[in-house]
Amino acid sequence: MKWNRYTIKTTTAAEDFISAMLDELGIQGVEIEDNIPLSKEDQADMFIDFLPELPPDDGVSYVSFYLEDGEDHTEILHQVENGIEEQRQFVDVGEGCIAVSDTEDIDWMNNWKEYFHSFYIEDILIKPTWEELKDEDKDKFLIEIDPGISFGTGKHETTQLCIRQLLKYIRGDKDYTPAEKHPKVLDVGCGSGILSIAALKLGASEVVGTDLDENCMTSTWENMEVNHLPKELGKFYVGNLIDDEKLQETVGTGCFDIVVANILADVIIPMAPVIPARLKEGGIFITSGIIDFKENEVKEAIEAAGMRVLEINHQGEWVNITAIKG
């Protein structure tokens, strides 16, 4: 499907006013482009795999909206123009001019792929499915991934923190020898399935995953297939583990050696009380998605749930907390 993209050149001071005006006119899916860096609070609310290096903020903002191609948009555009002029009474809207261009759905879905290339986490090579495997990498420990519209390329610091902990607590290292050679793993908020796949490739006997988004089930199964992992090694369910007792029962009680959760701190905190019931005695809880200023809140919630914190790791502004039951 083709769309007309309309872009209003305005100011950063006016972008929220312009967006609200568009919303009042029934225009949804507004896109804002400016050079204002994301705050820690914004990053905590949004999983973004790539934080771009921005030029200095020049006060200019571009607010874009989309209307279906082939229809007469004269009236709605007239309303937008009037709305921009009305906003001048309250805020500096800058030029306030509207430019038009064409786009397609495929642009929104696939253009980000040019920024996702193969990279390593320790000795694990993470490769996008659309990139050719180099000859020198053919003998490497490989995970292929296509996140689709789900979260999880592996580039984000939180995913890397979790994978490093899975490496340690499944494969072991100089400081830790796993109690269970082929652990059963629960992946809460499985997204693209990257942590489930990493767990299986590292030696897990079975994974169970949950996510609120049913699209993640499609992404996970497709990525399992790409990585030549039999379907019988994984079970994945849509639902909220925090308060869905049926899902808790389906997932299992006291049967997991490891639970991994790469989700937001504000989700981990209310979820912490249901984690010990999923773990075996001595089971490991690996979590990330925690922005640094939320570290203590999450740690306190994990400890209040009866688990003991084993280690806390940082990468950039993000935090991993690993705990044990018992």
Side-chain angles (χ1 to χ4, degrees), residues 217-230:
M217 304 299 107
T218 302
S219 295
T220 296
W221 285 123
E222 288 176 351
N223 286 317
M224 287 270 289
E225 184 175 356
V226 164
N227 285 277
H228 311 291
L229 294 168

Side-chain angles (χ1 to χ4, degrees), residues 39-53:
S39 67
K40 289 185 178 181
E41 290 81 3
D42 289 334
Q43 292 179 44
D45 290 335
M46 302 166 63
F47 266 148
I48 302 175
D49 271 11
F50 312 99
L51 286 173
E53 291 291 330

Side-chain angles (χ1 to χ4, degrees), residues 237-254:
Y237 305 99
V238 177
N240 189 340
L241 198 67
I242 294 173
D243 54 14
D244 188 335
E245 293 182 1
K246 185 176 180 182
L247 179 61
Q248 293 170 11
E249 182 180 337
T250 301
V251 163
T253 300

Side-chain angles (χ1 to χ4, degrees), residues 127-311:
K127 184 186 80 66
T129 55
W130 55 87
E131 192 171 278
E132 288 293 324
L133 183 65
K134 298 175 183 176
D135 288 340
E136 61 266 30
D137 291 330
K138 288 185 177 178
D139 60 344
K140 298 295 192 298
F141 188 119
L142 175 68
I143 292 176
E144 294 190 89
I145 201 79
D146 183 349
I149 60 173
S150 304
F151 171 72
T153 62
K155 274 283 190 181
H156 197 277
E157 290 94 333
T158 62
T159 312
Q160 295 185 34
L161 284 162
C162 285
I163 288 178
R164 288 191 177 94
Q165 293 301 96
L166 288 172
L167 269 164
K168 177 175 180 175
Y169 289 93
I170 296 178
R171 191 164 66 182
D173 65 13
K174 62 183 177 61
D175 299 317
Y176 182 81
T177 301
E180 180 63 42
K181 200 168 186 180
H182 299 290
K184 184 176 179 179
V185 176
L186 172 62
D187 181 4
V188 184
C190 57
S192 67
I194 187 168
L195 295 180
S196 292
I197 290 164
L200 288 169
K201 288 211 160 190
L202 287 167
S205 61
E206 177 185 354
V207 294
V208 176
T210 69
D211 203 287
L212 297 177
D213 187 351
E214 62 182 293
N215 290 313
C216 294
M217 304 299 107
T218 302
S219 295
T220 296
W221 285 123
E222 288 176 351
N223 286 317
M224 287 270 289
E225 184 175 356
V226 164
N227 285 277
H228 311 291
L229 294 168
K231 278 196 169 184
E232 55 266 26
L233 295 181
K235 297 175 184 175
F236 300 94
Y237 305 99
V238 177
N240 189 340
L241 198 67
I242 294 173
D243 54 14
D244 188 335
E245 293 182 1
K246 185 176 180 182
L247 179 61
Q248 293 170 11
E249 182 180 337
T250 301
V251 163
T253 300
C255 59
F256 292 99
D257 302 285
I258 295 173
V259 174
V260 60
N262 184 25
I263 47 184
L264 294 174
D266 288 340
V267 179
I268 298 168
I269 291 167
M271 187 181 69
V274 307
I275 296 301
R278 316 276 76 80
L279 285 166
K280 296 177 182 177
E281 195 66 22
I284 301 295
F285 181 39
I286 297 169
T287 189
S288 192
I290 308 162
I291 196 70
D292 51 15
F293 60 84
K294 292 274 189 178
E295 177 182 323
N296 286 335
E297 288 181 64
V298 177
K299 179 176 179 289
E300 289 169 2
I302 289 171
E303 290 173 336
M307 292 175 281
R308 177 169 56 88
V309 173
L310 294 175
E311 57 180 298

Side-chain angles (χ1 to χ4, degrees), residues 9-49:
K9 185 177 182 181
T10 184
T11 66
T12 52
E15 61 187 25
D16 288 342
F17 293 87
I18 297 292
S19 299
M21 177 269 293
L22 294 172
D23 186 63
E24 288 176 1
L25 293 176
I27 296 172
Q28 299 178 340
V30 172
E31 176 184 286
I32 296 175
E33 299 174 74
D34 57 35
N35 292 332
I36 300 175
L38 288 175
S39 67
K40 289 185 178 181
E41 290 81 3
D42 289 334
Q43 292 179 44
D45 290 335
M46 302 166 63
F47 266 148
I48 302 175
D49 271 11

Side-chain angles (χ1 to χ4, degrees), residues 105-148:
D105 280 342
I106 191 169
D107 295 332
W108 303 340
M109 292 188 294
N110 292 319
N111 281 355
W112 63 272
K113 290 183 177 180
E114 65 181 282
Y115 302 104
F116 178 28
H117 302 289
S118 297
F119 67 101
Y120 280 93
I121 302 175
E122 304 301 334
D123 64 341
I124 299 175
L125 175 62
I126 311 288
K127 184 186 80 66
T129 55
W130 55 87
E131 192 171 278
E132 288 293 324
L133 183 65
K134 298 175 183 176
D135 288 340
E136 61 266 30
D137 291 330
K138 288 185 177 178
D139 60 344
K140 298 295 192 298
F141 188 119
L142 175 68
I143 292 176
E144 294 190 89
I145 201 79
D146 183 349

